[in-house]
Amino acid sequence: MPRRLDPDESALWKKVAATVKPLAKAKAPLAPVAPPTVKPPKPTPRSTSAPAAPPRAPAKLPPPRRTHQAATLDGHWDRRLRKGLVRPDLSIDLHGHTLASAQALLDDAIGRALLRGARVLLVVAGRLRPGADRLPQMHGDPRPRGAIRASLPDWLAYSPYADQIVALRPAHISHGGAGAVYVIFRRSRED
């Protein structure tokens, strides 16, 4: 059983208690919510029948303009790229950037390359790690390893310059090997 305060202790306690302000109640922290992931819609096969009715809800992303990884170049170009005989007209290094800043920097570099009449842009983005689009890096880094490199084909397909890009090819070892890719542009009409 706790002991009772004598009158002097009780008076002292009342004086101390009168000078204390109660703490504000802390709001319960909200549980972190993962951001929604947006997947591009699957391409629909083209048919010669009448056009279908437009969808009721607008899609978040338009279908990609092109896929550049499977695009074919003539044998001469592919052979020269594989042997490292093609010298890039311009290069850009995306290491150390966030996904958003890397994408913006890439679009800016493509715009500059096209203004200069470039045919080949070297994009250094780091090696593509297995499962780069799925697994976060160890030691607390929330970004997956190789996420920029894994995102390149999608960024190029949805780029405002997608119609000017002919192909995407792995870089020769002298230009970065598996950590870099060549973006090959369409030849300008003046050439």
Side-chain angles (χ1 to χ4, degrees):
M1 180 169 184
R3 117 178 143 76
R4 298 192 70 133
L5 298 176
D6 64 33
D8 291 336
E9 291 175 327
S10 181
L12 183 61
W13 177 249
K14 287 180 182 177
K15 285 182 181 178
V16 170
T19 63
V20 176
K21 293 181 182 178
L23 293 175
K25 290 186 179 182
K27 295 180 181 177
L30 298 175
V33 178
T37 56
V38 178
K39 293 183 181 178
K42 294 181 180 178
T44 56
R46 294 183 182 200
S47 65
T48 57
S49 63
R56 291 183 183 172
K60 296 205 180 225
L61 291 175
R65 295 180 184 193
R66 296 181 57 125
T67 55
H68 302 102
Q69 286 182 312
T72 58
L73 294 172
D74 64 18
H76 178 69
W77 261 94
D78 273 330
R79 199 170 28 260
R80 289 181 63 215
L81 288 169
R82 274 195 311 275
K83 290 183 177 184
L85 301 175
V86 175
R87 183 175 174 169
D89 299 306
L90 196 69
S91 65
I92 182 171
D93 189 349
L94 301 177
H95 280 104
H97 289 274
T98 64
L99 289 173
S101 69
Q103 184 177 10
L105 200 58
L106 177 65
D107 280 341
D108 182 56
I110 291 172
R112 282 185 287 125
L114 290 171
L115 284 174
R116 292 181 183 178
R119 288 293 312 275
V120 179
L121 170 68
L122 176 67
V123 179
V124 180
R127 291 177 178 257
L128 182 61
R129 308 295 166 113
D133 55 349
R134 291 177 271 129
L135 299 175
Q137 181 184 2
M138 303 305 277
H139 308 296
D141 188 354
R143 293 180 303 170
R145 296 285 302 189
I148 291 175
R149 176 66 173 82
S151 301
L152 278 176
D154 291 335
W155 291 346
L156 294 172
Y158 287 99
S159 168
Y161 306 107
D163 293 337
Q164 299 298 316
I165 300 170
V166 174
L168 180 66
R169 294 290 189 266
H172 186 264
I173 190 71
S174 64
H175 293 135
V181 294
Y182 298 121
V183 177
I184 294 94
F185 300 111
R186 213 174 273 294
R187 187 179 4 207
S188 65
R189 299 264 183 215
E190 296 109 27
D191 289 350

